[in-house]
Amino acid sequence: MSAVICTNTPTIKRAFSPLSWLIHAFEVQRERRALADLDANMLKDIGLTPDAAYREAHRPLWDIPTH
């Protein structure tokens, strides 16, 4: 006898919450500031050029990914 396990259960789409969006936006900004502090060797280790890191670090607060 074998068991079947479903791993692709549908996800529940949550309603928009301004507070959770704001918290997420500040987390992204914190990560972008940390990215701006990396030197060229560290950026090379993660596969980024200094120009790409600069562009990402200076994106506006409201320009965050939706995922």
Side-chain angles (χ1 to χ4, degrees):
M1 181 177 203
S2 63
V4 176
I5 299 172
C6 181
T7 59
N8 60 350
T9 57
T11 58
I12 299 171
K13 186 165 181 157
R14 298 179 190 257
F16 176 74
S17 167
L19 181 59
S20 64
W21 181 89
L22 189 62
I23 291 169
H24 179 66
F26 281 117
E27 288 172 352
V28 169
Q29 282 300 103
R30 182 177 45 97
E31 293 171 2
R32 288 176 178 165
R33 282 193 304 271
L35 182 65
D37 291 337
L38 298 179
D39 65 16
N41 288 329
M42 291 179 188
L43 291 171
K44 184 179 176 184
D45 286 343
I46 61 173
L48 286 176
T49 64
D51 290 336
Y54 179 85
R55 283 192 308 272
E56 180 65 29
H58 290 87
R59 287 170 64 179
L61 177 66
W62 58 86
D63 189 8
I64 60 171
T66 58
H67 56 281

